[in-house]
Amino acid sequence: TTQQPIQQQDKIQQHRIFAYGDSLTAGTTLDKDNGNELPLCPYAPILELALHQQHRRRNNNCKDDAHDVLVRHRGLPGWTSQQMVDDLDGPNTGLRTAIVNAKNQTAAVVASSSALPTQQQQQPPPPPLSIVILLAGTNDIGYGLLDSEEIFENLWTLHQTCLDLGVPKTIAVGIPPSGYQAVNK
């Protein structure tokens, strides 16, 4: 038998990334001179832009990439990893709540669009979460509240919560560059 060449997929694979963490995820900065908080500069929009640009380069400057990746975030300034674990089901701040809401949003869009005639099904449903980026533990260290084993256990719980809810991948990150750093060198 002869093998047929692999056809390029008609649709761009979509990815949905959720970044969850402390003030570093929120992009909180402090005005060093006055001790006032400055506008938020989260890394999630910068990551989304970088991924879009990488997609364009890989796909010969394809302009049809508006939905190839979505990066959303929830940053909790001042929160420790212990607070994040204790609040997994919090209505506005909980990691488990955010993941379940993202799954429900995808399911609701699929259900409502399947009831429409085919010609009206223009917008594809958002993809399920592909990756959750977790950035936590810096306040635990900064406040000196927990030892390294307790911080590790909390981080493990956050990652395991994501995996238990069907998120295929999690990433633990250190302190990333922010938009604030880019404009205030």
Side-chain angles (χ1 to χ4, degrees):
T1 62
T2 60
Q3 292 200 357
Q4 298 294 324
I6 297 173
Q7 299 286 330
Q8 186 174 7
Q9 292 180 337
D10 292 335
K11 289 191 163 208
I12 297 169
Q13 174 151 1
Q14 295 180 331
H15 295 283
R16 199 161 157 210
I17 299 170
F18 181 62
Y20 183 85
D22 56 26
S23 59
L24 298 171
T25 300
T28 300
T29 58
L30 222 72
D31 177 352
K32 292 178 186 175
D33 296 329
N34 301 318
N36 298 322
E37 283 192 27
L38 297 173
L40 296 179
C41 297
Y43 70 87
I46 296 165
L47 175 62
E48 183 175 88
L49 178 62
L51 292 171
H52 281 301
Q53 290 170 342
Q54 181 181 28
H55 170 77
R56 280 195 189 118
R57 282 192 301 273
R58 287 187 175 175
N59 292 285
N60 299 319
N61 275 336
C62 173
K63 301 291 185 205
D64 187 28
D65 64 348
H67 300 291
D68 63 329
V69 65
L70 298 170
V71 181
R72 299 297 177 257
H73 71 282
R74 179 163 300 143
L76 307 165
W79 279 48
T80 64
S81 64
Q82 186 64 57
Q83 288 173 298
M84 292 177 195
V85 167
D86 290 344
D87 197 59
L88 283 171
D89 296 308
N92 297 315
T93 54
L95 176 61
R96 184 180 291 125
T97 302
I99 293 170
V100 168
N101 287 345
K103 290 171 85 171
N104 290 342
Q105 178 189 20
T106 299
V109 171
V110 170
S112 66
S113 67
S114 63
L116 297 172
T118 305
Q119 64 270 22
Q120 291 180 353
Q121 296 177 15
Q122 296 173 356
Q123 290 289 353
L129 289 176
S130 308
I131 299 171
V132 172
I133 301 170
L134 296 167
L135 198 162
T138 53
N139 289 322
D140 301 276
I141 295 167
Y143 298 149
L145 298 176
L146 299 175
D147 65 35
S148 60
E149 285 186 34
E150 292 170 308
I151 296 169
F152 175 80
E153 288 299 321
N154 289 336
L155 294 174
W156 181 265
T157 298
L158 295 171
H159 285 273
Q160 194 60 52
T161 297
C162 297
L163 298 172
D164 289 347
L165 290 168
V167 176
K169 295 178 183 175
T170 62
I171 300 173
V173 296
I175 301 171
S178 70
Y180 176 80
Q181 292 166 328
V183 297
N184 295 291
K185 291 184 178 184

